[in-house]
């Protein structure tokens, strides 16, 4: 296993981390026997970082149950404060105490503020977030502090500079290189000594699955023995500013494949030809987009709060990756990222046609017309009922349902 050092904390972290959001399920609940075997197998092969969250169903309690004895000392455990659940200062202390009980620990190694952008962070600051973090660290309840980011790239560096963070967690993969934190944001965070943890290296499994025919051919011609998932994981780990790639592995096949990549991929190890291969695949995929949006973000901010780039990105991906069926991964992403499940809503239906975005778009898109397409595609009758249902059963179970229904 390759290890990478976080300058701020001094910890040596395995380049592959175990994301415990999508643990294997049985009858709608965590398959405890299989999940235990997977996690122990990962640790036995050098993985020393496990990521969970308050909102990941029974994940925290399960990890608290199995990470005892020798396995407790072999991993750094990371969990998150759900920004969406905080209404007052006392909520933060109560949630942290509950998490410590679930995890059966006196101290959490890495504690992150979950799924924030600048607006969400400002709201938490008004609830005395800094006071809470400093107090919790002083009392020994948390060790290192960070945040997971779900906002536009223009705001990322402002959040990095807003507190003495130790780590950040960002979405990053070769298809989304320039969205959210972006490659420049990752470089900036690393330059400040922060550990950079990457989520969604396979875009929720999309980059490991079937791709457009021309893209598949490019990968096969370059190396017929390498899977789509391997290309995607290697590309992320090739970035010297990335500390650890988190993958939600729910089978031994996935785990062993990722372990092999993590053991052999060092920073800057991909050849120029390898990088050109990935760029070729990206070009094919970009040329297949329904809306010619580059997700540059120049149209933002929207006065009505619409997350224009994200709405168009999810719409494009539905057709790019051939997501079919009434319930499909693109619909899940829409409700999760812009529908209001993981924070403020930024759905296309909020557009009132003011037109302020039109003159700022370098692609000269008719954004109002395109957002109307997105609205018709995803905003089903009874949207509030669907949101309530997803919140009730939890993200991991809903995502598992999506996968089963689309087999």
């Amino acid at each position: 296993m390759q290890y990478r050092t976080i300058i701020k904390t001094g910890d040596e972290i395995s380049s592959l981390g175990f994301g415990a959001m999508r643990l294997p399920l049985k009858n709608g609940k965590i398959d405890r026997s299989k999940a235990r075997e997977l996690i122990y197998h990962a640790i036995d092969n050098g993985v020393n970082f496990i990521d969970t969250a308050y909102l990941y169903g029974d994940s925290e309690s399960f990890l608290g149950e199995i990470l005892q004895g020798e396995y407790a000392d072999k991993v750094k455990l990371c969990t998150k404060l759900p920004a969406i659940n905080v209404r007052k200062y006392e909520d933060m202390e109560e949630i942290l105490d509950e998490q410590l009980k679930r995890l059966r620990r006196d101290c959490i190694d890495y504690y992150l503020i979950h799924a924030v952008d600048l607006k969400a962070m400002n709201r938490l600051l008004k609830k005395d977030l800094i006071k809470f973090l400093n107090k919790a660290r002083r009392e020994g309840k948390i060790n290192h502090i960070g945040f997971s980011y779900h906002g536009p790239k223009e705001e990322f560096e402002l959040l990095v500079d807003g507190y003495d963070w130790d780590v950040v967690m960002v979405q990053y993969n070769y298809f989304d290189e320039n969205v959210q934190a972006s490659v420049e944001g990752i470089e900036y965070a690393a330059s400040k000594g922060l550990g950079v943890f990457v989520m969604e290296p396979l875009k929720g499994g999309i980059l490991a699955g079937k791709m457009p025919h021309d893209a598949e051919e490019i990968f096969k011609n370059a190396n017929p023995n390498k899977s789509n998932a391997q290309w995607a994981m290697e590309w992320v780990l090739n970035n010297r500013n990335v500390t650890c790639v988190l993958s939600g592995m729910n089978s031994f096949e996935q785990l062993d494949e990722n372990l092999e990549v993590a053991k052999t991929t060092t920073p800057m190890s991909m050849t120029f030809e390898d990088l050109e291969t990935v760029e070729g695949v990206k070009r094919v995929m970009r040329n297949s987009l329904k809306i010619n949006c580059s997700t540059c973000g120049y149209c933002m901010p929207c006065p009505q709060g619409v997350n224009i780039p994200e709405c168009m990105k999810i719409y494009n991906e539905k057709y790019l990756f051939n997501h079919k069926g009434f319930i499909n991964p693109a619909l899940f992403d829409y409700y999760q990222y812009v529908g209001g499940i993981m924070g403020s809503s930024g759905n296309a239906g909020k557009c009132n046609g003011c037109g302020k975005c039109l003159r700022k778009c370098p692609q000269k898109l008719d954004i109002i017309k395109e957002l109307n397409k997105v609205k018709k595609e995803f905003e089903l009758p009874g949207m509030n009922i669907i949101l309530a249902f997803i919140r009730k059963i939890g993200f991991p179970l809903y995502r598992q349902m999506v996968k089963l229904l689309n087999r």
Side-chain angles (χ1 to χ4, degrees), residues 42-304:
I43 296 172
D44 291 342
N45 281 273
V47 172
N48 71 354
F49 192 90
I50 297 179
D51 171 70
T52 184
Y54 185 81
L55 296 175
Y56 293 173
D58 293 332
S59 178
E60 287 181 326
S61 297
F62 171 71
L63 292 174
E65 173 189 314
I66 68 166
L67 294 178
Q68 299 297 318
E70 61 172 316
Y71 285 103
D73 299 328
K74 290 183 177 180
V75 296
K76 299 294 183 183
L77 196 54
C78 172
T79 193
K80 310 181 194 75
L81 173 74
I84 195 172
N85 287 35
V86 175
R87 297 290 177 267
K88 57 184 184 298
Y89 175 85
E90 291 75 16
D91 291 339
M92 294 184 280
E93 293 197 336
E94 290 173 6
I95 289 170
L96 175 57
D97 287 341
E98 182 182 352
Q99 290 175 299
L100 288 166
K101 290 179 181 178
R102 288 181 180 183
L103 294 167
R104 304 186 190 184
R105 293 204 169 198
D106 297 324
C107 178
I108 294 169
D109 300 304
Y110 286 83
Y111 197 62
L112 276 57
I113 316 304
H114 197 178
V116 292
D117 56 11
L118 186 59
K119 180 179 179 181
M121 187 64 78
N122 283 334
R123 184 180 69 82
L124 291 174
L125 290 173
K126 293 177 182 177
K127 311 294 181 186
D128 283 331
L129 172 68
I130 302 303
K131 173 186 173 182
F132 160 73
L133 293 175
N134 290 339
K135 180 172 181 283
R137 181 141 60 178
R138 188 170 60 250
E139 293 175 348
K141 293 182 178 180
I142 57 179
N143 197 358
H144 305 302
I145 299 171
F147 63 92
S148 70
Y149 188 67
H150 287 283
K153 56 187 176 183
E154 294 79 15
E155 298 176 358
F156 180 70
E157 292 184 13
L158 294 174
L159 266 67
V160 169
D161 291 337
Y163 181 71
D164 187 22
W165 308 105
D166 299 306
V167 297
V168 292
M169 187 176 293
V170 298
Q171 177 176 328
Y172 182 61
N173 55 68
Y174 69 75
F175 191 75
D176 293 331
E177 181 179 7
N178 295 308
V179 302
Q180 295 194 14
S182 79
V183 65
E184 291 85 6
I186 288 174
E187 182 177 5
Y188 183 76
S191 74
K192 308 277 283 189
L194 277 65
V196 177
F197 291 83
V198 168
M199 55 184 163
E200 303 290 354
L202 303 179
K203 240 180 128 51
I206 287 174
L207 299 182
K210 186 172 178 59
M211 294 184 179
H213 174 74
D214 290 348
E216 293 271 6
E217 286 300 305
I218 292 173
F219 275 153
K220 287 179 181 178
N221 289 336
N223 189 335
N225 298 317
K226 189 184 293 187
S227 70
N228 293 345
Q230 287 174 301
W231 279 107
M233 292 291 287
E234 285 181 11
W235 186 89
V236 176
L237 286 170
N238 187 66
N239 188 329
R240 62 186 176 185
N241 296 312
V242 169
T243 305
C244 176
V245 176
L246 297 164
S247 182
M249 301 160 284
N250 53 37
S251 74
F252 283 97
E253 180 182 7
Q254 294 173 359
L255 174 55
D256 286 336
E257 183 176 58
N258 286 347
L259 284 169
E260 187 60 31
V261 172
K263 289 175 182 177
T264 58
T265 307
T266 56
M268 311 297 289
S269 60
M270 291 184 78
T271 66
F272 176 78
E273 289 76 15
D274 289 338
L275 295 173
E276 275 296 298
T277 295
V278 176
E279 284 299 314
V281 169
K282 285 171 60 177
R283 283 193 292 270
V284 168
M285 294 164 71
R286 295 293 180 197
N287 290 336
S288 302
L289 300 180
K290 288 282 186 179
I291 303 175
N292 187 31
C293 174
S294 65
T295 66
C296 66
Y298 290 147
C299 56
M300 298 291 282
C302 167
Q304 306 305 316

Side-chain angles (χ1 to χ4, degrees), residues 337-386:
Y337 295 121
V338 299
I341 291 179
M342 292 291 285
S344 303
S345 61
N347 56 296
K350 297 177 73 172
C351 174
N352 68 351
C354 71
K356 290 186 177 180
C357 56
L358 298 178
R359 61 179 176 271
K360 296 188 286 184
C361 176
Q363 309 294 335
K364 304 303 179 185
L365 296 175
D366 186 343
I367 295 175
I368 298 171
K369 179 181 177 181
E370 302 296 357
L371 286 176
N372 192 47
K373 289 182 187 176
V374 177
K375 176 184 176 182
K376 290 180 179 178
E377 187 74 45
F378 294 118
E379 297 187 20
L380 309 172
M383 184 173 177
N384 291 335
I385 297 174
I386 296 173

